[in-house]
Amino acid sequence: MGWAPATSTNYSVRLPDNAAPAYCAITSSGVDKGSIEVEHILAIDQQGKPIDAEGVQPSAETPLHLLLYRAMGAGAVLHTHSLSAALLSQLARDEGQVRLTGWELLKGLRGIDTHEAEISLPVFPNSQDMQALSSHVEQSLSKERACYGFLLAGHGLYVWGKDLSEAKRHLEVLEYLLQCQREVTRHGHPANS
Ligand SMILES: [Zn+2]
């Protein structure tokens, strides 16, 4: 879908409690996700330390995944670098959110049954300091009601769900809605004002 250019993006799932100290399985750093193999997925503990991994490091963005398990009760976390997410988050950096309303596909999000619903994706400034960024996001997200994802400005989209299939559904919904919004923004539709 063009959502994972070069070696960008990362994906994880929460492991069952009886797998402790393994906490979640996450993609390794620096791998082209178009040619990912099972050895590029590793188990990490709650601090993000690899368990029995040989020569692979977890994604640099692991702290953001861990915070979503901790703070949002996620069962799976998916992070993409689509053009729409990078572009719209950059444009909305000062506003601090991208609002989405009026689209039928909103109903693909858990708990939404009408196109008239409005959701907001918070936009956070991008950073290479993942610890600082994750604590900033964690503090802000706990105040968000029914939050389905967030954007990092000029960077990409984070989405989660209670399990991998819900996270994938939410990802496809939000990427589609961001594409709609991107076209509306480009063509200056009044609904964007
Ligand atoms: Zn990223």
Side-chain angles (χ1 to χ4, degrees), residues 10 61 79 81 155:
N10 34 77
E61 295 180 43
H79 167 53
H81 280 212
H155 178 163

Side-chain angles (χ1 to χ4, degrees), residues 44 47 76 112 141 179:
I44 56 172
Q47 280 69 49
I112 293 187
L141 276 190
Q179 283 178 50

Side-chain angles (χ1 to χ4, degrees), residues 49-129:
K49 258 184 52 201
I51 292 168
D52 292 338
E54 288 161 25
V56 283
Q57 285 299 315
S59 162
E61 295 180 43
T62 295
L64 290 165
H65 289 249
L66 292 174
L67 94 84
L68 291 168
Y69 292 118
R70 229 173 18 241
M72 307 305 281
V77 176
L78 304 174
H79 167 53
T80 49
H81 280 212
S82 69
L83 194 61
S84 302
L87 204 63
L88 287 174
S89 59
Q90 192 79 305
L91 291 171
R93 199 173 42 175
D94 293 340
E95 194 188 340
Q97 63 170 341
V98 170
R99 284 177 298 134
L100 299 163
T101 187
W103 306 105
E104 176 69 13
L105 207 62
L106 280 163
K107 288 158 59 184
L109 299 171
R110 187 199 327 146
I112 293 187
D113 56 9
T114 170
H115 64 283
E116 292 173 337
E118 177 177 294
I119 66 152
S120 165
L121 296 177
V123 178
F124 299 102
N126 196 25
S127 171
Q128 301 306 320
D129 183 342

Side-chain angles (χ1 to χ4, degrees), residues 2-62:
W3 300 345
T7 60
S8 68
T9 76
N10 34 77
Y11 312 95
S12 71
V13 290
R14 177 84 162 81
L15 294 171
D17 287 344
N18 63 13
Y23 183 64
C24 70
I26 189 164
T27 49
S28 68
S29 184
V31 177
D32 180 341
K33 304 309 180 297
S35 53
I36 198 159
E37 302 286 348
V38 74
E39 61 263 30
H40 301 129
I41 299 169
L42 62 157
I44 56 172
D45 68 14
Q46 288 196 52
Q47 280 69 49
K49 258 184 52 201
I51 292 168
D52 292 338
E54 288 161 25
V56 283
Q57 285 299 315
S59 162
E61 295 180 43
T62 295

